[in-house]
Amino acid sequence: MGGIFGTISKKSCVNDLFYGTDYNSHLGTKRAGMVTFDKERGFNRSIHSLERSYFRSKFEDELNNFCGNLGIGVISDTDPQPIIVNSHLGRYAVVTVAKINNLDTIADELLKQRMHLSELSANTLNQTELVALLINMGNSFVEGINNVFNHIEGSCSMLVLTEHSIIAARDFLGRTPLIIGHKEGAYAVSSESASFPNLDYEMMRDIGPGEIVEVQADGIKVLQQPRKRSQVCSFLWIYYGFPTSTYEGVNVEEMRERNGRMLGKADDTEADFVCGIPDSGVGMAVGYAQGHGIPYRRAVLKYTPTWPRSFTPSDQARRNLVAKMKLIPNKAFLLNHRVVFCDDSIVRGTQLRDNVRMFYEAGAKEVHVRISCPPLVYGCPFIGFTSSKSDMELITRRIIQDFEGDDKKNLDKYATTGTPEYKRMVNEIANRLGLSSLQFSSVESLVESIGMPKCKLCTHCFDGSSYCHEHDKD
């Protein structure tokens, strides 16, 4: 997905920018960048690949090269950023968290107007540069940012660093978050509120859908009021979010525990204990243990000192290997026991299948799996949820293809909890993964555990229900 962080202060911002950006590292795996502005030295930018290393190791030795009291940073799953621009709006830098589905169409339109795109990454267009070109077509930053909103299909949140301030704009339907923090003499804007406490910022509020604010060291000015409609990605709580982060007033770990308690109370499966698949399954497992009345035990742990995140390598087979190697089962707990494992989601099923085999090899008598969200039946067209290029990479769609001869047939029935089609699909997933039993949270339970109205949440990947009219942005 990606994460962004910006800060402006009455004194040097470099340390806050460095650590604040680093606290977004769990949101992206490809590239990272930082840029600061200083009145004497101007803009100073650095961009590095993260595919074989981590943010701190790439940027720590360069910190003395940065100076200034305002800057922005990005952890990106897409293109090299920040982009630095010199235009009629002045000199500025921009970072984005975006998924632009009509990138080529917009680029063709701009090329016909004799505008050019210079930044290429692996021979593809740099979507952040495209965003900058659309901004430049406005007579002001507000007009230019709305030009982005009105042209793109997908989503885009951004930070713009000018010579005087930071302009923050959240996606027009609020799919990805932006949160404002404050401490004496400084403000910050981040994708994750978890970046604030250790830097002494207090979380102020979420930026609203389509809202545009200008941030300076002594205050915030609202340039455009938020829209009433929202489609906040529910996966922020299920998977992406760091446990201490809060979006829309809802803490990630509290939501995961609520979700687990609900599933545990409704489950009559007999088991000896419950364990969370690290990291995003742990909160759910704690809640499940409370709701089901069985102990929570750490029967599998993640080895963090050297193994990177499972989807860092570009090759799927290597990702699967890394996913297996980083988890170490505790045979002393698993041997001859019936275990419930909680996890955030099932995408391809490959990783969970390998984990289950490992649990049985370690001596587990039964392996039951509980998933904190409904089955993923629809691919996400709005944010970069997975590296999947096709809906057929989803285990659900492959099963529907096998059942129906058409992976798009009766999707609404397969996506509805409790239907014969749904039950048949879930049973088949359990069989293919070698599970003693499998249960998913329902859409209704997921929404209840988040605590927001369903109409304000995006649950498209579960039920295909998100707004289809991308240009209806009132």
Side-chain angles (χ1 to χ4, degrees):
M1 186 178 80
I4 51 183
F5 182 91
T7 182
I8 182 167
S9 174
K10 293 182 179 179
K11 56 184 180 180
S12 173
C13 73
V14 175
N15 285 338
D16 281 7
L17 178 62
F18 172 67
Y19 289 109
T21 304
D22 182 51
Y23 276 127
N24 284 268
S25 290
H26 59 288
L27 296 174
T29 60
K30 288 190 176 180
R31 298 176 181 88
M34 295 197 311
V35 58
T36 55
F37 178 79
D38 178 75
K39 290 181 179 179
E40 294 183 1
R41 297 176 58 182
F43 289 93
N44 186 27
R45 175 184 69 170
S46 182
I47 300 171
H48 290 290
S49 170
L50 298 180
E51 294 186 282
R52 292 178 178 85
S53 189
Y54 292 97
F55 176 84
R56 286 195 307 277
S57 64
K58 289 289 189 178
F59 288 86
E60 201 158 20
D61 293 339
E62 298 180 347
L63 286 185
N64 290 336
N65 299 330
F66 289 94
C67 63
N69 70 332
L70 66 167
I72 56 177
V74 60
I75 305 291
S76 177
D77 256 346
T78 54
D79 313 295
Q81 353 176 9
I83 298 294
I84 299 178
V85 178
N86 190 11
S87 75
H88 70 99
L89 297 174
R91 293 186 299 167
Y92 68 91
V94 59
V95 293
T96 65
V97 173
K99 182 178 182 181
I100 303 176
N101 298 313
N102 58 336
L103 189 69
D104 291 333
T105 301
I106 298 173
D108 289 342
E109 293 175 0
L110 295 177
L111 291 171
K112 288 177 183 178
Q113 300 175 44
R114 299 189 177 183
M115 302 179 72
H116 69 279
L117 296 127
S118 59
E119 296 278 354
L120 292 176
S121 176
N123 295 316
T124 61
L125 295 171
N126 185 314
Q127 62 180 8
T128 302
E129 185 189 14
L130 186 83
V131 167
L133 288 181
L134 291 172
I135 291 173
N136 292 342
M137 295 174 70
N139 292 316
S140 66
F141 281 111
V142 171
E143 187 175 313
I145 291 168
N146 280 306
N147 193 43
V148 175
F149 290 162
N150 291 328
H151 274 82
I152 70 165
E153 295 175 4
S155 68
C156 181
S157 295
M158 71 185 82
L159 297 177
V160 176
L161 177 70
T162 75
E163 297 179 359
H164 311 288
S165 64
I166 295 172
I167 298 172
R170 187 177 176 185
D171 172 66
F172 54 84
L173 285 174
R175 295 190 187 279
T176 53
L178 278 180
I179 303 152
I180 301 172
H182 172 65
K183 65 181 176 181
E184 185 176 355
Y187 284 87
V189 180
S190 179
S191 298
E192 285 279 63
S193 65
S195 62
F196 293 152
N198 287 348
L199 297 173
D200 297 326
Y201 289 93
E202 292 287 337
M203 179 178 169
M204 289 181 61
R205 68 175 181 89
D206 297 87
I207 295 176
E211 185 178 7
I212 304 173
V213 301
E214 183 176 26
V215 185
Q216 295 182 324
D218 56 0
I220 293 175
K221 181 180 179 181
V222 176
L223 303 181
Q224 177 168 286
Q225 294 292 329
R227 292 175 166 86
K228 294 180 180 179
R229 287 185 176 181
S230 72
Q231 286 286 271
V232 184
C233 176
S234 55
F235 253 92
L236 292 172
W237 292 276
I238 296 166
Y239 173 70
Y240 284 121
F242 194 76
T244 61
S245 279
T246 295
Y247 315 110
E248 312 297 331
V250 182
N251 176 259
V252 170
E253 192 73 352
E254 283 189 334
M255 176 273 171
R256 291 174 181 173
E257 289 191 10
R258 274 197 301 271
N259 197 14
R261 279 194 296 273
M262 292 171 66
L263 198 55
K265 286 180 180 179
D267 193 358
D268 59 3
T269 301
E270 294 186 2
D272 299 308
F273 65 88
V274 59
C275 175
I277 303 292
D279 288 312
S280 48
V282 172
M284 178 196 178
V286 170
Y288 183 96
Q290 296 168 356
H292 200 53
I294 59 175
Y296 172 81
R297 306 188 81 179
R298 296 200 298 168
V300 59
L301 290 99
K302 185 168 72 172
Y303 189 76
T304 57
T306 57
W307 282 101
R309 298 175 68 199
S310 60
F311 54 87
T312 299
S314 57
D315 177 76
Q316 180 61 45
R318 193 171 296 117
R319 283 199 296 272
N320 294 339
L321 174 63
V322 171
K324 175 184 178 183
M325 297 300 291
K326 71 178 182 178
L327 292 181
I328 302 177
N330 190 339
K331 188 173 182 178
F333 285 174
L334 291 171
L335 187 62
N336 295 323
H337 282 100
R338 303 165 298 174
V339 188
V340 175
F341 286 95
C342 294
D343 206 354
D344 55 80
S345 61
I346 302 177
V347 183
R348 297 173 183 86
T350 309
Q351 181 174 332
L352 183 57
R353 182 190 63 213
D354 291 343
N355 291 342
V356 170
R357 184 184 300 119
M358 178 172 62
F359 300 150
Y360 279 125
E361 290 172 352
K365 186 161 59 176
E366 295 177 8
V367 175
H368 305 271
V369 169
R370 302 296 179 259
I371 302 297
S372 62
C373 68
L376 298 168
V377 176
Y378 300 83
C380 177
F382 306 115
I383 62 174
F385 164 49
T386 72
S387 58
S388 299
K389 301 296 188 294
S390 166
D391 288 353
M392 285 301 291
E393 293 188 46
L394 299 173
I395 189 172
T396 55
R397 294 295 275 267
R398 297 198 301 272
I399 288 173
I400 293 170
Q401 170 72 38
D402 292 344
F403 285 169
E404 304 285 353
D406 179 355
D407 76 289
K408 299 179 179 61
K409 187 175 180 180
N410 293 327
L411 289 184
D412 57 334
K413 295 179 180 178
Y414 285 100
T416 303
T417 302
T419 64
E421 290 83 359
Y422 174 92
K423 292 178 180 178
R424 185 185 180 200
M425 178 183 68
V426 172
N427 287 336
E428 181 63 17
I429 295 173
N431 289 335
R432 293 190 183 188
L433 300 185
L435 306 177
S436 303
S437 72
L438 173 64
Q439 291 182 26
F440 293 84
S441 178
S442 67
V443 172
E444 294 77 14
S445 294
L446 173 63
V447 170
E448 183 179 346
S449 64
I450 294 173
M452 292 174 59
K454 186 179 186 302
C455 63
K456 291 187 173 294
L457 293 168
C458 182
T459 58
H460 179 87
C461 48
F462 315 125
D463 58 12
S465 68
S466 190
Y467 295 134
C468 296
H469 304 291
E470 284 291 332
H471 296 286
D472 181 13
K473 297 159 188 170
D474 295 330

